[in-house]
Amino acid sequence: MDTYLLKLNSASLAERAPIIQMALGDEGIFHYGRLLISPKLEELAQTEQHASIQRQVEVFCYGTYNEYNADNTLPQLTQPQLEKLKHLTVVSLASESKLLAYDDIKKELGLSEDQQVEDLVVACIYKNLIAAKLDQKRRVVEIDHVIGRDVRREDLEDIYTKLEKWAEACDEVLGEISTEIDTATKNASAKKTLDFEFTKAQQALRTEHATEGVAASNSLTRNDSQFASEEYKLEEQRTGDA
């Protein structure tokens, strides 16, 4: 677009219309907001011969194929411009719904065959205007991603409102995630404390059992020694009596 704007700024009034028409047909350009606000375009639109050219650029900014057909004041489009407008119409449809029926696309673009719909959608995919899948069995187009088009000034407030709601929804989700993280952290800390107390109790119990075992062993040793001493005394007594 920069190239066309530079040419437009240095062109005479008579040279501007061809430059604008070339820009509208350029297969690599899909946004025309900067062209629409150009003072050079506004000056050209003041002439009787090109009174509708500003409206033509508006259609390529925001409009659709049906809008162009409904306006008899607009100039006839070249084949590249016509194809461009059909692609932009698909972009608008994809922005409104993630599931496009073949019949709805036909209605919006004046198509009669499913093959025409599929060829058009595939062309939009190759131009990176949309990311989508064709479901020929259900006769629908599943939209994954779509580029944005130029925005009307009157639509900015609505977009701002939607962005505000989206930001609020994000804050709510982040709040819920933060709560979940806090809960998980507390649970992990409580589990760690319980594990520590359990290990401590285990160690104390093992120490207690070990102490009791040593005491029992010592007691048994004393008893055995005492028993041996008594037997010795009895043996000596029997020997003396003999």
Side-chain angles (χ1 to χ4, degrees):
M1 181 56 71
D2 289 338
T3 300
Y4 292 108
L5 290 175
L6 287 173
K7 289 181 178 180
L8 195 62
N9 288 335
S10 60
S12 66
L13 197 63
E15 295 171 331
R16 294 177 194 174
I19 295 172
I20 293 169
Q21 297 303 334
M22 287 177 61
L24 295 179
D26 192 314
E27 63 178 15
I29 299 176
F30 295 94
H31 297 92
Y32 295 95
R34 293 165 63 199
L35 177 59
L36 183 62
I37 63 175
S38 169
K40 302 298 183 180
L41 173 64
E42 187 174 353
E43 288 176 9
L44 183 63
Q46 300 297 323
T47 65
E48 183 178 353
Q49 184 181 358
H50 300 290
S52 62
I53 196 166
Q54 194 167 27
R55 171 57 184 155
Q56 183 184 6
V57 175
E58 282 183 357
V59 170
F60 277 80
C61 282
Y62 327 117
T64 63
Y65 180 79
N66 269 348
E67 289 180 34
Y68 163 74
N69 282 335
D71 193 338
N72 295 326
T73 66
L74 295 176
Q76 185 174 356
L77 299 181
T78 64
Q79 190 59 35
Q81 290 173 343
L82 196 60
E83 291 300 314
K84 168 79 68 66
L85 189 55
K86 287 181 178 180
H87 295 157
L88 290 172
T89 300
V90 172
V91 169
S92 291
L93 292 173
S95 299
E96 295 171 359
S97 175
K98 295 301 180 183
L99 197 66
L100 302 178
Y102 278 30
D103 290 339
D104 291 338
I105 298 175
K106 286 180 180 180
K107 181 179 178 182
E108 287 292 327
L109 293 165
L111 305 177
S112 57
E113 302 293 335
D114 285 3
Q115 186 62 51
Q116 292 176 307
V117 173
E118 292 170 0
D119 289 345
L120 183 63
V121 171
V122 169
C124 290
I125 293 172
Y126 279 131
K127 291 180 181 295
N128 294 318
L129 301 177
I130 61 173
K133 301 181 186 69
L134 290 167
D135 189 332
Q136 295 175 316
K137 185 176 181 179
R138 292 193 297 157
R139 299 178 66 249
V140 296
V141 182
E142 298 177 1
I143 304 297
D144 296 322
H145 172 73
V146 58
I147 67 166
R149 292 191 66 181
D150 293 298
V151 180
R152 292 183 176 92
R153 289 185 179 276
E154 55 266 31
D155 293 335
L156 290 177
E157 185 175 349
D158 182 54
I159 292 173
Y160 180 75
T161 300
K162 289 180 179 178
L163 287 174
E164 274 193 326
K165 291 181 179 179
W166 176 78
E168 290 173 1
C170 288
D171 288 341
E172 290 180 6
V173 172
L174 288 174
E176 292 174 1
I177 292 174
S178 179
T179 300
E180 292 293 331
I181 291 174
D182 289 343
T183 302
T185 301
K186 291 177 182 178
N187 290 341
S189 178
K191 184 178 183 301
K192 186 175 180 180
T193 300
L194 288 174
D195 289 344
F196 175 77
E197 294 297 332
F198 177 75
T199 301
K200 185 177 178 181
Q202 269 189 326
Q203 291 175 345
L205 189 60
R206 286 172 184 166
T207 301
E208 183 180 347
H209 286 171
T211 302
E212 290 178 353
V214 170
S217 176
N218 291 338
S219 176
L220 181 61
T221 300
R222 287 195 300 272
N223 290 338
D224 287 346
S225 176
Q226 184 179 1
F227 178 73
S229 177
E230 292 295 332
E231 281 192 330
Y232 179 76
K233 289 179 181 179
L234 289 175
E235 184 64 27
E236 280 191 337
Q237 186 176 357
R238 284 197 296 272
T239 302
D241 291 341

